[in-house]
Amino acid sequence: MNVRGNRGPIRAIDHVLRDNGLEGIQEEPFPNDGWSGASLTRLRRGDGYRFILKRDSLARDWIARATNDGPLLREAWFAARSRLVADGTSDAIRASYLDVGRDGDGVAILMPDLTGVLFDWEKPISVEALDHVLRGLASLHTPSWIDKTAIGTDDGAHSLWCPIRERITLICRSSLERPGPAHDAVADRILPGWDAFDRLASRSARELISMLEADPQPLVDLLSAQPHTLIHGDLKLANVGIAADGALETIDWQMVSVGPIAIEIGWFLVANVASLPVEPNEVIRRYRTHLAKGYPDPNGGWLRGNDFDDDGVDAAVLVGLLLRGWRKGLDADAGITLGSGVTARDDLARWCEWAVEAADRIL
């Protein structure tokens, strides 16, 4: 593997460790709740700085295989170039990568240790913190982050972005039940949630999700036709934190893409439901307020309305329920109350209603 990064060919991991003052330092176990198959270790430098080393490969990472990633994983490719994208922006958001190295048949990504900075995925955040995240997210979705001379398409970059179809169907029932990476890795953890969804969701919502699982192409076509920008692809709050300097730290760009905002927002709303302090329509309103300051297409479907009433948000609702209806089923079955104060059963009912109404408008 001789892949060029932002300063030349990606070096072997021992050179990366040496150049960052980490040669010979013992790696410590670093437990994490990631599902992909990547492994993390911690290194403590003599000056007190702590680092995380993420080792990954196509063979060990089911998400990489399920999303048609290549031998040089897209996260490593992005990490090798992300500083060229981030350095010219405001301090609103940064990809928290330091270096990338070859590690046998895989890659090793060096990052700062963000313990105590990243949000706890399952605990509610404040409205102020949510606004900070949404401000950074809106900054990501504006042209300042898309420097095509830095990320480029001249070396086949267009083929490295996470594809829309594979992203939105990653953990739907059909992907989990047929032979493949998702079935082997997480079917036993997620299928019970889809069973709960089928018991508790409205009939019209069940039929809608079943239809999209069987043939997602109409939704893929709709998303493909919407304005594209740089999207993180997996913006759960466990991958986000607010640094001491006010910047928004972001990790795990494994499903990074140039794609429609609907994928980003749909996943953000459903993945963080236990942490969001306000209901989805208020999240949308706040996000729009920040997006309006820099989004290049004011008529592109995100700035026209004030609620779940336009093509961009309608598509986000469908993406959200297709990706995370299983967890909404589990939460509703458990009878929990969400961070916004809404019961999980009421939340499921509302999402079912929103999704059916959205499908009637745009599919």
Side-chain angles (χ1 to χ4, degrees), residues 181-204:
H183 170 81
D184 296 341
V186 294
D188 58 338
R189 301 172 71 174
I190 297 179
L191 282 175
W194 283 119
D195 292 340
F197 177 85
D198 287 342
R199 290 194 306 271
L200 299 172
S202 67
R203 178 178 178 180
S204 53

Side-chain angles (χ1 to χ4, degrees), residues 98-168:
L98 300 174
D99 215 332
V100 182
R102 291 181 288 107
D103 184 44
D105 292 333
V107 293
I109 303 173
L110 187 67
M111 303 175 287
D113 183 355
L114 297 175
T115 301
V117 175
L118 300 177
F119 291 112
D120 186 328
W121 193 10
E122 297 295 332
K123 292 184 178 179
I125 65 173
S126 68
V127 173
E128 292 75 19
L130 172 63
D131 249 353
H132 198 131
V133 172
L134 295 176
R135 185 167 61 250
L137 193 55
S139 174
L140 174 66
H141 295 158
T142 59
S144 60
W145 261 80
I146 306 180
D147 180 353
K148 287 185 166 47
T149 64
I151 304 179
T153 56
D154 56 328
D155 60 353
H158 61 282
S159 65
L160 294 171
W161 303 122
C162 185
I164 290 175
R165 184 187 183 103
E166 283 73 13
R167 177 63 188 104
I168 68 173

Side-chain angles (χ1 to χ4, degrees), residues 46-347:
D47 56 8
Y49 284 99
R50 299 177 305 179
F51 302 82
I52 299 298
L53 193 63
K54 180 177 183 178
R55 287 187 168 88
D56 207 356
S57 69
L58 194 61
R60 72 166 69 184
D61 193 321
W62 75 269
I63 294 178
R65 297 194 304 277
T67 58
N68 295 336
D69 211 340
L72 175 69
L73 302 183
R74 70 175 65 89
E75 183 180 17
W77 170 83
F78 182 75
R81 296 156 183 267
S82 60
R83 280 166 291 173
L84 286 179
V85 183
D87 285 349
T89 69
S90 71
D91 63 355
I93 186 169
R94 61 174 168 242
S96 305
Y97 296 117
L98 300 174
D99 215 332
V100 182
R102 291 181 288 107
D103 184 44
D105 292 333
V107 293
I109 303 173
L110 187 67
M111 303 175 287
D113 183 355
L114 297 175
T115 301
V117 175
L118 300 177
F119 291 112
D120 186 328
W121 193 10
E122 297 295 332
K123 292 184 178 179
I125 65 173
S126 68
V127 173
E128 292 75 19
L130 172 63
D131 249 353
H132 198 131
V133 172
L134 295 176
R135 185 167 61 250
L137 193 55
S139 174
L140 174 66
H141 295 158
T142 59
S144 60
W145 261 80
I146 306 180
D147 180 353
K148 287 185 166 47
T149 64
I151 304 179
T153 56
D154 56 328
D155 60 353
H158 61 282
S159 65
L160 294 171
W161 303 122
C162 185
I164 290 175
R165 184 187 183 103
E166 283 73 13
R167 177 63 188 104
I168 68 173
T169 61
L170 182 65
I171 47 177
C172 68
R173 181 184 284 279
S174 60
S175 297
L176 296 166
E177 290 183 336
R178 65 172 177 263
H183 170 81
D184 296 341
V186 294
D188 58 338
R189 301 172 71 174
I190 297 179
L191 282 175
W194 283 119
D195 292 340
F197 177 85
D198 287 342
R199 290 194 306 271
L200 299 172
S202 67
R203 178 178 178 180
S204 53
R206 295 197 310 269
E207 291 174 349
L208 170 62
I209 294 302
S210 179
M211 178 189 73
L212 291 175
E213 289 176 351
D215 181 15
Q217 197 59 46
L219 181 54
V220 172
D221 291 342
L222 180 74
L223 292 166
S224 299
Q226 292 182 352
H228 283 31
T229 188
L230 187 67
I231 61 174
H232 178 281
D234 187 15
L235 213 76
K236 58 189 180 185
L237 287 171
N239 291 335
V240 182
I242 301 173
D245 64 0
L248 200 68
E249 300 278 11
T250 55
I251 62 171
D252 285 0
W253 293 70
Q254 183 178 26
M255 290 183 281
V256 62
S257 189
V258 170
I261 289 175
I263 293 177
E264 192 94 281
I265 296 299
W267 177 247
F268 182 83
L269 290 174
V270 294
N272 299 308
V273 67
S275 302
L276 296 175
V278 297
E279 295 187 49
N281 57 341
E282 177 63 10
V283 176
I284 292 291
R285 188 193 68 78
R286 289 172 179 270
Y287 169 73
R288 276 186 168 132
T289 298
H290 300 301
L291 187 67
K293 300 172 184 177
Y295 187 51
D297 186 5
N299 296 314
W302 280 94
L303 301 178
R304 291 199 304 264
N306 296 309
D307 210 334
F308 285 73
D309 60 358
D310 59 53
D311 290 356
V313 183
D314 281 344
V317 172
L318 296 179
V319 168
L321 200 60
L322 182 61
L323 276 171
R324 196 76 170 170
W326 67 273
R327 182 57 190 261
K328 291 190 175 296
L330 283 180
D331 289 346
D333 201 33
I336 70 170
T337 297
L338 306 176
S340 63
V342 175
T343 69
R345 289 204 173 219
D346 285 345
D347 177 69

